[in-house]
Every structure is written in structure tokens, then in C-alpha cells.
Amino acid sequence: MGREENREREGDKWTKRDNKKSQRCRERDPEKDRNRERMLAVDTARTTGRGPRMALRTLIRAPLFLMGLLTTGLAQLPLPASAPRGFWALPENLTVVEGTAAELRCGVSAPGSVVQWAKDGLLLGPDPRIPSFPRYRLEGDPTRGEFHLHIEACDLSDDAEYECQVGRSETGPELVSPRVIISILGGQTISDISASVNAGSQEKLFTTEATARVTPQSSDNGQLLVCEGSSPAMDTPIRVSVTMNVLFPPGPPIIEWPGLAEGHVRAGQSLELLCVARGGNPPAILQWLKNGQPMSTAWGTEHAEAVARSMLVMTVRPEDHGARLSCEAHNSVSTGIQECGVTLQVTFPPSAITILGSASQSENKNVTLSCITKSSRPRVLLRWWLGWRQLVPTEEMVMDGLHGGHISMSNLTFLVRREDNGLTLTCEAFSEAFTKETFKKSLILNVKYPAQKLWIEGPPEGQRLRAGTRVRLVCLAIGGNPDPSLTWLKDSRTVTEPRSPQEPRRVQLGSLEKSGSTFSRELVLITGPSDNQAKFTCKAGQLSASTQLVVQFPPTNVTILANATALRPGDALNLTCISVSSNPPVNLSWDKEGERLESVATPPRSAPFKGSAAARSVLLRMSSRDHGHRVTCRAHSPELQETMSAFYRLNVLYPPEFLGEQVLVVNAVEQGEALLPVSVSANPAPEAFNWTFRGYRLSPAGGPRHRILSGGALQLWNVTRADDGLYQLHCQNSEGTAETLVRLDVHYAPTIRALQDPTEVNIGGSVDIVCTVDANPILPGMFNWERLGEKEEDQSLDDMEKMSKGATGRLRIHHAKLAQAGAYQCIVDNGVAPPARGLVRLVVRFAPQVEHPTPLTKVAAAGDSTSSATLHCRARGVPNIVFTWTKNGVPLDLQDPRYTEHTYHQGGVHSSLLTIANVSAAQDYALFTCTASNPLGSDHTNIQLVSISRPDPPSGLKVVSMTPYSVGLEWKPGFDGGLPQRFQIRYEALETPGFLYVDVLPLEATTFTLTGLQPSTRYRVWLLASNALGDSGLTDKGAQIPITTPGLDQPSGEPDYQLPTEQPAGPSGMPLLPVLFAVGGLLLLSNISCVGGFLWQRRLRRLAEGISEKTEAGSEEDRVKNEYEDSQWTGDRDTRSSMVSTTDVEPYYHSMKNFSPQLPPTLEEVSYPRGFTHLEEADMAFPGHLYDEVERLYAPPGAWGPLYDEVPMGSCDPCWLEETYEDTRGIYDQVAGDLDPMEHDSLPFELRGHLV
């Protein structure tokens, strides 16, 4: 028995309380109920002390004293001003005895907020006295947030839910405490009580025990048994309570039947039965049974009401008729099982109706049928309907069925007529129990009767049809039930369609079609020979109809019979052609490969398909040419205009025979492949092909460079010249052998074997340049010649004659000219790559031609016996030139150490440099003559050696452009006197007195634009040249020029181009410059007049020493560096520092300043290396030669580099090549070896050697 503890303030007595009221009002929180039970779990109250009164007083005062201290401490605890808004004390659930006081605590941290309590949702108000409820009041200090609800003398009306609410304020929103419950307990006093007082555990303390005797009833279950203790020392009695848990069996179960008629149900109905058992502790356990077998064990209980319930849900079936459903109830203290039951009375209709017998019958015969129902409760009645007409049954009976039901049966027999066909025959079941339902079974009456008429629609009989014609036959019938089955027959055999998809569909059998009372079925034929005279019949039951076709067809088969199979040339062959069957008859004929043959007819034979047969024979004499020919037999029908053919292929056995298309010559390219084909005819095919070359047999299995193909052809690769020749082929089969010869012609690229280089000819003579090659094939036009030159006119061969004969080609030159000298290339192309190329140089020999730029050439040098001078003589000529020098007509003694000569040869250009050391004015200022000689003649030029002096005046001053404010000038410098020179322009306006001077910058400029002029003004302009020794003067006519500037309205005289110019410092200062120069010069001359002579001599001496040092400081190579900057061969070009003058009227000067041509220190001969032409053709033969006559004008582009006479030879110019000549006698052998692509060692080891 569970126990609960509750201390109350009443007398010492036992009280039984009733708490059912609270249980009926609401559901309690289980967790709160458990807390309350823990508080009341005491079944006996003991009190000890010195006496009953003191004990009670002590027990009462002690907890009150402790509570006062706790309350005082809490009241004195200040609330922090910054405490968060909320509850610091919350109410709890209370259980109190009726008539006692109760208090719910509420502590709030919410200054300035209104606090009130709510009871079951009813607000009690913020007034601490709560006027509407006199027994209610608020206790505690509101300033400390204490708002405790105190209730005096609780009764059942106080059993409710309570909550503490805090109103919204500026510090936060409203607050609501959790809801709590006050439970009120009431009861009656127990009279059978015995009490005893005993000594306590301490002195003056007593223990009082009270024992109550109660006989529990089922109604006491859940009641409180309260023990109250009171004493004079206590103001309020103390209490302890125990909840009584009385175990007792449940009441009998009750089945709640839905509806009035208990136990009566309909099959298929969903039945829901509720079983209820009230009372019982513990609650009842419920279980459903059907005929004593458990069905459902699920139930539910309501502890508050002490009720157990179980719902049975089932679908009623016919087999449930008479079944007993029972509900059993019991618990753990039941002495037996209580049961309540009900018996089912199930009503169910028949599940099916069956009609036995056949509804199909011939007309005017009786039909017998039986209608039987499945079991039903109650029984059903049966009736018959034919259409809308009710029929009278012949017999009816009822039998017992399943599940207490009954089976009904009705028999019917009646006479059927044709009009009844298709009517509905129905058996209907009905009963008063199933008024809203109808149960029936129906059949369609089928009355059989035959068709009335049958016929065939198609082509009229006797009409001739061509084989392959599509014929449509239709069989039609009227009436009949069932629908007549129309069947087609051909000559008494049923017509069917081909089953295999591969078979041709010559017959298409349609399905039976119905239109009203007419039935049809068509037969579509693609007529053939078998349809000729065939009888087609359509049957429908006992009725039938027939038709016959006449089909014309060509021969069904044409066969050729031979009297022999193995044929050889000369044999006789007899062939017979047979046409098996045709309608109408055919004509037979023979031909062989289009040639008509004579034949004879043979007796006819019987033919299938009621057609006609024919046969003819032919006799042939065989030859090898007949092998493979077709002998054709043709069967022609004139009426059908059709022809059928059959052929017999002749198989004639004969030995090999080479055909006319057999190739006898095969061309191949060296290092390529060759195929020697075979065109041979033989039957059987040749068994072997044997090839022999130069008496040796080639291996049939093949070799490193050959193989024999399956058709007998010989395939060669890496063909060489040694493979050229005749190849013999031997063929053999079982009938004999044959032989033939095939020539292999190997073509190879040309190789130059002979080419005369150089080829020499005197000017005006004739010569042939001969080019000999080794090549196959030799073609008439395979030689071609090219002339190598930079310009297009240098490459022309118009005045030369090209000739060739066999392996030799010639380029004939008539009346050789100097312009024809140069490099020529022989190109040989016979169609086999690569073409051969050979380079040969034509040397045109001519007498020396010394350059004469002016009548007299000057060279300046200081004659103080410390300086050196170099005289340059250049000439052209072939062969090489020999130079000789004279001074004033006397041969120069070159053994004199003061004279040194260096000779240079470059092609046809030859140079001699004569260096004179320690030049003496007395001995060396003379006229030197240079003579150039070769076997064809000689030529000479004069060079005058003079002292350094003032420059010669410039020449050729002219106007190149003009504007109103400027004029462009150009001139040619004169001899600079051996010293650097500069130019100055002097000009004057004719209408204005005074001269203006302008210096030309840069110093070496030969053009200048004079600015600062006025429009429409006449001027006179002078050009002055000056060096360290003075100026050229103004006496020369070529150094001055008059000009007139154009007006502003006149077009300028400026050309389309503008030459480089140098502007003066400024036109504003120009008038003052001459005045300043004149005044300064006069002052300077007056101050130094006393020492003028001395300074003049000293200046001359130092100048001579400086020139000597500059001349001797450079090497021989530096002294000839700038020998020429231009010449008559390359056109006019200005010189620097008066080294060379290009004018035609001025002397030809040589300056010694920085004159050092860059030539190697070699003597007469300079050789060219092999391949110096930089031509990259691998097959070009260009050997060296013994002469250097060919110059740049005749050389190919880039062949020998820049010529000596064309550009100044600076430090960056290419040096002369210094390799030596090589012998030309073996050069062609070397070229041929280089160009020979058939070199033996170039092949792999396994591919070297001959085929055999």
C-alpha cells in the first residue's frame, strides 16, 4: 500500500479523506502528483518529549521558529537595484486538507510593476486585501517584491489553478509565473482506534502510538487515511496521511450492439462491437473470442473512471452465420473470468447464378437449360426471360446449401426459331429479403441455319492471262448462321499462303468480310505456270462454286546437256538445249559469244502445267581460244515477245600461251622499283613461274632485292644499272610449257663526265663550251644552259647557239665579246631527278686597258726626304698583266730600296702600287708612267708627284633648288693639295654693296642650302676651298654663279627632292661676320709683322713632320685602304679629303692622307677555293682554274664577293681569299663521283651486289 505524508494542525485522530472531487474536475500533472506523494509518504506519526503537551509544543514551535528566521532573513535581504527583471520565488503545487490554510509564494524583481494573482483565469486584483474573496489576502513586503497569496479555511471551491502575473512597466514587458494547483482533501472519522503512550528516547519525552482498524471496500480505493495528532502545547494539530490502494475484481463485461436487432447482420457488412468492463483494481483485461477462438486482445483503460474498453471490428461473411462472439473480462484478483456473448444471424444473397446447357442450336429444335444459384439465406425464387418475353420453366426445386442457406434450381425446355437468333436468354433470382438487389445470368441464343446463295466473281473463263498477272477472285455468300466459312481450293487442294517469309508471296488469301447479310472472301493470285488450266473452287458448307484460268507463260526452265566434260583443243562437243514447258510453244536458237550457230531439232517431250516442250542440238570443234567462252541457247516466244536464255561455259585444257599484251620492255628508275608483268593464258593455271637473268635462275622464294608475285610477275627494288638486261620467263602447267624474254631498261639521272673549265677565247673569236654526261635515257632536249649574272641582261643567251648530239651538249659562242665572259651553267635533265649541273667559266682574253680618269693624275707629298708617297696604277686585261714603271721616261729601278712595288690581281682587274720612300723634291717631283702589258697588248697612264699646296678651286657649282628666300647649291671638290680642305660661300646682292660669307658644314659636304635671301633679288655666289696652306682663290669661273630669286607670286625652282643641307648660324648676324673677320685679321697682322717670317718657317717645318709621321705610322695595308672611292667603272661619287676627283675636266688626284687599301700581302697569284661561288647545288661541278680573268661583271650573283674597284675597302670589307689553286685534270672524275647516286657503298650490305 503506497503511503503519502501530510502534516495537518488538528487533534489526535484518524480521518479518511475523499479526493475524488479533484480527480473528476481535471487531470493532474503526473510530476506534481509524484512530488505530492513524496510529501505525504508517512503512515504513522510519532511524537516524543517530556510530556504530551511539551512534546507537541516543541514539535510545533521548532519549525515555526526556523521558518520565522528564514522569512526574516529573506525579508531583510535587499534587492539589488540593477537586478534583472524576473521572478526570484515561484509558487508550487499544494495539497491541503479541507478547513486548513494554504499559502502560494511569489517573489518578483520588477520595481514599479503591478502584481496580482489569477484563479482559473480570473484576475483577483492588485489590492492586498482582495475584497471579492474575504479568505484571500496578499502577504509580504511589496517593496521587497513579496506578493504571497494566503488562503484561510480552504474548502473545495479553492481547488483550482493559480498563477502570479506582473504587469508591463518601463523596465520591461509583462511576466507570468507557471500555473500551480491547490488540491483540497475531505473525509470521515474512523471510530475503531486504539492509542498508547510510551517513554521517549530522551528524558521527559513520550511516544504516542494510535492504531486504526479499517475493513476496506471497493469504494475506499484511492481514499486518504489521515492521522491527526493534537496536544495542548500545539496550536494546530499535526497530520500524516496514507492513500488506500484496494484491489478488487472488475464488473461483468457488456457488449454494446449497434442497432435494434441484436445478432442480425448482412454479409459484407463492417461490424463494430464495443465491450465495456467497469470497476476493478487493477483495471480489467478484455479479450474477444469467436466460437471460443481468440480474435482480438487489444483494449484500453480509463483509470479515472476505472473503465476498460475493447473495440472489435470485423467484416461479416456468410460463413459467420451462427458464430458466437464473446468478450471476456478479468484482472489479477479475479477468481474467475466474466463473459458476455452474442450469436450472429447472417443474411446473404447467392454469390453466383449458373446456367447449364448450350444456347446454340439449329433452327426448329428444342433447347434445354438449367439455372442453379449458389447458397443464399433466405432462399430465392427463379424466373426465365427471352428478350422481353417470360418463359415458363418446366421444373423448380430447392436444396440445402452452405452456411445454413438454400440452393434454388429451375429447368427450362423450349423450341427455337430463326427469329430467336441473337436474343438474350436470362435467368433471374429474387427474394423479399433482397428487394433492392437483382441477381441474374444471361446468355445470347444462337440459332444455326445455312447460307442461301454462293458464287465467284473474277475474270471470265477462257480469257488468256499472262504469267505474272495479278488476278483477283472473290467468293460471295448470302445469309447463314453461324457466318459461313468460305474456303478456297485449287484442284481439290486447300489454298494457303506461304508460311516462310523468304518464299515469294504469289498467293494472298483475304479474311472473311461481312456486309449486312452478305459474306465475302477474296483470293489474289500472281499467275504462274501452275495456274494454267487449274480449277479454283469456293466452298461454304454444302454449297460450292468453281472457275478455271488460262495462263500463258514462257519456258519454265531451259537446260543444256553436254556429251563431254574434259575438253582439249581439237575435241568435238555436242550440246542439247531443252525447253521444259511453255504456253504457247517457243523457238530455240544457239550462239557462241554473239556468233549464231547452226543447230538441229530433236523430238518433243511431254510438258508439265499442260504446256509445250522443245529441244535443239549443236556440234562444236574446240580450240584454246574457246576456253571460257559461253555457248548460249535462247528460247523465244513470238506471241509473248519474251526470251529465256541458258549458257554453257567451255572449259578447254591447254598449255601456257603468252598473250599479245605481254610487255616485252619495262622501264625503271635507278634506286626505285621495277615490276616485270606476266600476261599468260593457260588452263589449268601455270604451276610455276621461273625467271632467269644472264643464265642464272632467280630464287622463287625471293631475295634481298626481288620477289616473284603470285601471278608470276617479277618485282625488283633498289634497282641498279647492273640490273639492266634481258630476263627469261618459263611457265609450265599440266598441259605443257612456254617461254618469253622481258627487257629491263634502267633509267638513271645524268652525271656530268666532261666539262672544260675554264674555256678560253680571244675577244672576237668563236668557241664551244662542251658538256658531256652519262645518262639513261638520252633525250634530244635534255641539255640546257644558263648564264649566271646579277642583271637580267647579263643572263641572256640570245647571241649564242645551243647544240646537242647524244650524250654531249654544246654552247657555241660566235664573235666573243668581253661582256660574254663569266660563269655559265650546264643543266642536264632527262626526266630522272635530280638534274645534273656543271659550272664552267668563259674567259675572254683581251689586251690591257689602263684606267685614264683624267689626262694627268696628281699625287701630293712633302719633299723633305721624310715623307712617303704611293702611286696607284690599275688596269684590266686577260690573261694576267705585267706592270712596268718609268720616271720621266726612264725605266724605274725597282732594286732601289726607296722604291717598292706591290701587284694585286682580282679577276680581270690588276693593280700595281708603287711606294716611294723619303720623297725628295729634287729627285721625285717628276712624271711617273705605268705601263700594263700582256700577250695581247699594252697600255699606260701618267701620274705626277707634286708638293703639298693650297687646294684647287671646286668645279661644277650649280643650283639644284630655289625658293624666294633660299637657294640649294651643289659642286664637285677639286684637288685638296694633300691636306684636309673646307668650303666657304661668298655672296652679294647686286643692288646692295658688300659681301656675305657662310661656312659649309660639315666639312666634307658637297651640297648646301643658302638661306636668308630676299625674293626677286639678283645675287652672285662664289665657292672657296681652303686648307692649312690657304684658299683656292676666286679666279676660277666654275667657282661662281649668278642667281635671281623668284618672286612671291612665282613658283619655286625647287625640284621634287631636297638634298642634305646645313643652315648658317643666323641671317641676322651674317652682315657683321665679314667686318669682324676683316678688322680682327688686320689687327693680328700688324701685331705679328715682326715675327711673321719666323713663324711661317716654323709652321711649315711642323706641318711636314706631322704629314711624315702620319704616313709612316700606318702599315702597307693601311696606306692602300682608300685607294679609290669611285671610278669610271662605277659612276661618279664624291671623294673625301680630295682623294679622288670624279670630274671629267679636272686632273685625277691622289691624296696620301689615310690612303691604305686593305689588300693581303700576296704577290702575283691569288687562288680561289673550290666551291667559292656559294652555290648550294650538290651536283654542280665548278673547279678552280689557272686564270683569274673573270671579274664581277661576268660572275654569278655572290660568286666572288665585292670587286676591288667597286667600293672603298674599309676595315670591315672582306679580305682576299688565300687558298691555292688545285689541279683541274681530275676534277671531273671527282664531280662524277660526287653526283653518282648509284655508289656501291651507299646501299645496305644485304642489298649490295647483283641479283644473281
Side-chain angles (χ1 to χ4, degrees), residues 249-306:
I254 300 174
I255 297 177
E256 298 181 359
W257 184 268
L260 299 178
E262 181 177 342
H264 292 274
V265 293
R266 176 77 180 269
Q269 175 184 347
S270 179
L271 181 62
E272 296 182 359
L273 298 180
L274 179 64
C275 177
V276 180
R278 302 185 182 276
N281 185 25
I285 298 174
L286 301 180
Q287 181 180 12
W288 283 93
L289 296 92
K290 178 180 177 182
N291 294 331
Q293 298 298 323
M295 295 182 62
S296 174
T297 58
W299 77 94
T301 59
E302 296 180 6
H303 294 276
E305 301 293 338

Side-chain angles (χ1 to χ4, degrees), residues 18 40 67 348 385 392 445 689 751 800 839 859 951 982 1089 1225:
D18 186 5
L40 300 179
M67 184 177 294
F348 55 91
W385 298 89
V392 179
L445 191 61
F689 296 91
T751 303
M800 303 178 189
L839 191 65
V859 175
R982 58 183 299 174
S1089 59
R1225 289 175 291 180

Side-chain angles (χ1 to χ4, degrees), residues 56-174:
L56 293 174
R57 186 177 298 148
T58 302
L59 292 173
I60 293 173
R61 289 182 179 180
L64 292 176
F65 178 73
L66 294 175
M67 184 177 294
L69 292 177
L70 179 61
T71 304
T72 304
L74 293 175
Q76 294 176 356
L77 183 65
L79 295 176
S82 60
R85 179 181 175 87
F87 292 98
W88 53 268
L90 293 173
E92 296 182 353
N93 293 329
L94 292 179
T95 301
V96 298
V97 180
E98 186 178 8
T100 63
E103 185 175 282
L104 298 177
R105 296 176 58 80
C106 180
V108 181
S109 297
S113 299
V114 177
V115 180
Q116 61 179 333
W117 284 84
K119 173 185 178 182
D120 284 339
L122 177 65
L123 296 178
L124 302 182
D127 191 348
R129 295 175 298 172
I130 310 178
S132 301
F133 295 86
R135 295 184 290 106
Y136 293 9
R137 67 175 183 273
L138 295 180
E139 292 187 349
D141 186 355
T143 61
R144 297 183 179 181
E146 298 175 349
F147 298 92
H148 309 313
L149 177 62
H150 185 83
I151 303 176
E152 291 288 345
C154 293
D155 57 21
L156 294 179
S157 64
D158 301 324
D159 195 321
E161 292 182 347
Y162 296 86
E163 63 182 10
C164 180
Q165 298 182 358
V166 181
R168 181 182 302 177
S169 68
E170 296 179 356
T171 61
E174 65 274 3

Side-chain angles (χ1 to χ4, degrees), residues 821-832:
Y824 291 81
Q825 187 171 219
C826 175
I827 303 175
V828 186
D829 186 0
N830 65 346
V832 181

Side-chain angles (χ1 to χ4, degrees), residues 1098-1114:
R1098 187 176 180 180
R1099 180 174 179 274
L1100 290 178
R1101 187 180 300 110
R1102 289 181 179 179
L1103 180 61
E1105 290 176 356
I1107 295 174
S1108 177
E1109 291 175 358
K1110 292 181 181 179
T1111 306
E1112 294 176 355

